[in-house]
Amino acid sequence: MTTEQGQLVEASDESMNKNRTIEWSTIPTPTSLPEVAPCDWEEALNGPDTDTAQVIVLDCRRDESGTLPTDAHTMTQKVSAALQSWSGQRRFDSSPFLVLTRGAVSVSTDEVVHPAGSAIWELVKTAQAENPGRIILVDTDSSDKGLGDLFGLMAVRNMTVTAVASAEPQLAIRGDILFVPRRNGIGLAPDRATVVAESVEQSPAASSKSAEPSIVRMFRQAVADDKFGDGLEFLLAAAKLRPAFDHYTAGIPRGIGLSGGTPHNSGGDTLPHVVLICTPAFLGGYIQYILLAAHLGGHRRLSVIPLSGYEPDEPLPASLAAAIESITKAVLDTVGNDEFVLAGMSGGGNLAHAAAARLLEQSNSRLQGLIIFDSFIAREANERQMGTARDAVVDTEALIPDLAGFTTERLTALACWLELLLQIEYQPVECKALVIKCTKPSPTHNLNEWPIESWSTEQTVQTVDAEHVALCSTEAHTTAQVVDQWLRQLSANDG
């Protein structure tokens, strides 16, 4: 061990003793959550300049081998270099810096502090004093895979939103419980069992379940009773009582820029502009495509079209024709004079195909192609996919409750749009298309061997060694490579 490493370990041991004197107190989970987007430090550093405020996340929960860091010297060097680079660039002036650790502090007597994490905390606390209000420290017991995995991305996003909303410079998150350091509190935090019991009794999330609208409670019960189909029928009946539009009108959501995986970023100079249509079952909207967009890079212009009706004051389409009109109008407003490609995953692919057919009927010359991510034409295949829709709804509601939590609007919109999908009639569109298929079966259905269907008169079929949900999550990097290669070839042929 070098002298410098020994000093760091001694410092971390000293900090552990200090941590034992800190009184960790619980605070309520924030009820008002801001719209923030976590961005990995490496991607922010190497990505394009953007005016969009984002929270930059340096995830220090693992070393290069993927395990809990043990080399304090290497980790503190990494953190120090990142903080210096971040603070020295004006383009990050509106971007808070969040350092995420695991096991760096102890909030109760049964937790063990790890020296490397503790050393990081002491270093970052010094940086916080030099950059007041701009750096956030969060320690967690979560072992998710971080921003490179869809579920890890959602977990990190939840922690980021919570940390920003709490307005605390230092925060420890244990499950759903938030702890903050207090030197003048009433004593040490109680043991975990006591904390959990008290938190369940007092947390807004627990009490809010009983205050949920009847429609939400009844749908939860239908899912719990394995009656997802019956639950959708109930939601569809409720959806018919909501305001609906026959033609494009006020309140229909606009497209969201997603270049480089950063929400509301319409940057990127490379065309054609890729426009992704949201999937009805994914209540979180654009977040389904955020990893795909990140891997396609900030150089390519990319946007997402949300479906109307999922948020308050948004009307539902009264018919399939109105639904497709709302999508095509939003697409054209989003792309401006850009040449563009329509794309969609699962049910979003079906809607993208219908929108492409409508635009071609209108002789739109800027539509250059269509990308279908594991969608199906046959009614039987779509009905067999219903299990995937159920899992997507339940999983996203649990992982990103602020974006995809169950509300009357979101659930009735889900039923409405799923019903509209079954009304689409298909003819091959006369444009170039990329059809991406999976090679692995999904847990809920075995459609990876379904016959290739005709989406276009000129289609290219590519496979990705993944199951359905993984296309835009854990295998998003592979999917992005396939898409980018096809887009490059499309541009070369057009040129």
Side-chain angles (χ1 to χ4, degrees):
M1 179 183 292
T2 66
T3 301
E4 187 177 4
Q5 286 174 317
Q7 291 172 342
L8 278 169
V9 171
E10 289 175 7
S12 65
D13 288 339
E14 182 181 353
S15 69
M16 281 190 288
N17 290 329
K18 290 180 180 178
N19 279 336
R20 292 191 185 102
T21 67
I22 291 176
E23 300 166 353
W24 288 89
S25 303
T26 59
I27 61 172
T29 301
T31 56
S32 178
L33 300 177
E35 287 190 15
V36 297
C39 179
D40 180 73
W41 163 242
E42 293 294 332
E43 290 188 7
L45 181 63
N46 299 317
D49 293 349
T50 175
D51 294 329
T52 302
Q54 57 190 356
V55 178
I56 296 172
V57 176
L58 180 63
D59 194 340
C60 299
R61 293 176 293 171
R62 294 175 185 78
D63 58 19
E64 292 184 356
S65 67
T67 59
L68 193 69
T70 56
D71 188 338
H73 176 66
T74 299
M75 291 303 297
T76 51
Q77 277 193 327
K78 171 185 174 181
V79 175
S80 178
L83 285 168
Q84 289 178 16
S85 180
W86 163 79
S87 63
Q89 300 187 53
R90 292 183 62 103
R91 64 184 176 126
F92 296 135
D93 283 354
S94 61
S95 299
F97 196 93
L98 187 150
V99 179
L100 188 60
T101 62
R102 181 157 61 102
V105 296
S106 173
V107 301
S108 63
T109 56
D110 62 342
E111 290 190 337
V112 177
V113 174
H114 297 277
S118 183
I120 291 171
W121 264 63
E122 293 306 308
L123 172 67
V124 177
K125 283 195 291 185
T126 301
Q128 284 180 324
E130 298 173 356
N131 297 269
R134 299 191 62 213
I135 301 175
I136 307 170
L137 259 173
V138 176
D139 189 73
T140 176
D141 57 357
S142 173
S143 58
D144 61 85
K145 295 181 180 179
L147 290 165
D149 168 85
L150 181 61
F151 294 104
L153 168 69
M154 293 177 181
V156 172
R157 183 192 168 280
N158 282 346
M159 288 186 279
T160 302
V161 171
T162 299
V164 172
S166 74
E168 294 284 344
Q170 297 157 26
L171 189 69
I173 302 177
R174 301 295 186 262
D176 295 329
I177 307 169
L178 308 184
F179 293 84
V180 292
R182 297 286 188 260
R183 292 191 180 276
N184 298 314
I186 58 174
L188 291 174
D191 62 79
R192 289 294 301 281
T194 304
V195 169
V196 170
E198 292 180 354
S199 175
V200 168
E201 290 178 3
Q202 300 173 7
S203 71
S207 61
S208 66
K209 283 286 189 289
S210 61
E212 283 183 330
S214 299
I215 287 177
V216 175
R217 294 203 306 273
M218 293 180 72
F219 180 71
R220 286 190 190 280
Q221 189 61 52
V223 172
D225 294 340
D226 198 23
K227 296 180 178 180
F228 183 70
D230 293 338
L232 286 179
E233 289 185 12
F234 166 70
L235 294 177
L236 185 60
K240 293 178 180 178
L241 302 177
R242 290 183 55 188
F245 63 90
D246 288 312
H247 301 285
Y248 192 82
T249 185
I252 293 176
R254 302 172 63 88
I256 300 172
L258 201 61
S259 292
T262 303
H264 309 292
N265 175 19
S266 57
D269 298 323
T270 304
L271 297 177
H273 191 149
V274 178
V275 185
L276 293 151
I277 311 301
C278 280
T279 299
F282 213 91
L283 300 180
Y286 69 79
I287 203 167
Q288 179 188 23
Y289 297 118
I290 201 166
L291 283 180
L292 180 68
H295 287 293
L296 278 173
H299 66 284
R300 184 169 295 284
R301 199 166 298 170
L302 189 147
S303 299
V304 176
I305 305 298
L307 305 180
S308 187
Y310 284 80
E311 298 300 329
D313 301 323
E314 290 180 0
L316 288 171
S319 64
L320 178 62
I324 302 306
E325 180 189 359
S326 72
I327 292 173
T328 56
K329 181 66 166 60
V331 167
L332 295 178
D333 288 346
T334 299
V335 300
N337 294 322
D338 292 347
E339 293 184 340
F340 64 97
V341 167
L342 287 180
M345 165 79 180
S346 193
N350 299 80
L351 294 171
H353 181 268
R358 177 68 59 85
L359 289 167
L360 290 171
E361 288 175 1
Q362 298 169 353
S363 301
N364 187 287
S365 59
R366 285 174 289 149
L367 175 62
Q368 301 298 297
L370 176 68
I371 304 175
I372 301 293
F373 299 100
D374 206 41
S375 307
F376 298 91
I377 293 174
R379 186 183 182 97
E380 177 188 347
N382 284 302
E383 288 176 345
R384 284 169 59 183
Q385 268 197 308
M386 194 58 69
T388 299
R390 178 197 62 216
D391 292 345
V393 168
V394 173
D395 290 346
T396 53
E397 197 266 346
L399 288 166
I400 45 173
D402 58 317
L403 281 182
F406 287 170
T407 65
T408 298
E409 290 83 8
R410 289 171 184 167
L411 291 178
T412 51
L414 165 73
C416 174
W417 282 94
L418 288 180
E419 175 70 14
L420 292 174
L421 282 178
L422 298 178
Q423 300 175 21
I424 298 177
E425 297 181 0
Y426 298 88
Q427 292 293 330
V429 293
E430 295 185 0
C431 68
K432 295 178 181 178
L434 170 65
V435 179
I436 298 180
K437 304 293 293 182
C438 298
T439 61
K440 295 180 179 179
S442 293
T444 55
H445 61 70
N446 184 13
L447 289 170
N448 56 306
E449 297 180 355
W450 191 266
I452 302 299
E453 297 173 301
S454 297
W455 295 89
S456 166
T457 56
E458 189 179 351
Q459 69 183 31
T460 300
V461 179
Q462 296 278 8
T463 59
V464 173
D465 189 24
E467 57 90 18
H468 181 76
V469 175
L471 271 184
C472 291
S473 57
T474 54
E475 292 299 323
H477 60 289
T478 304
T479 306
Q481 290 175 355
V482 173
V483 170
D484 194 55
Q485 182 179 8
W486 183 78
L487 289 172
R488 291 175 186 272
Q489 186 63 45
L490 182 68
S491 298
N493 291 340
D494 290 342

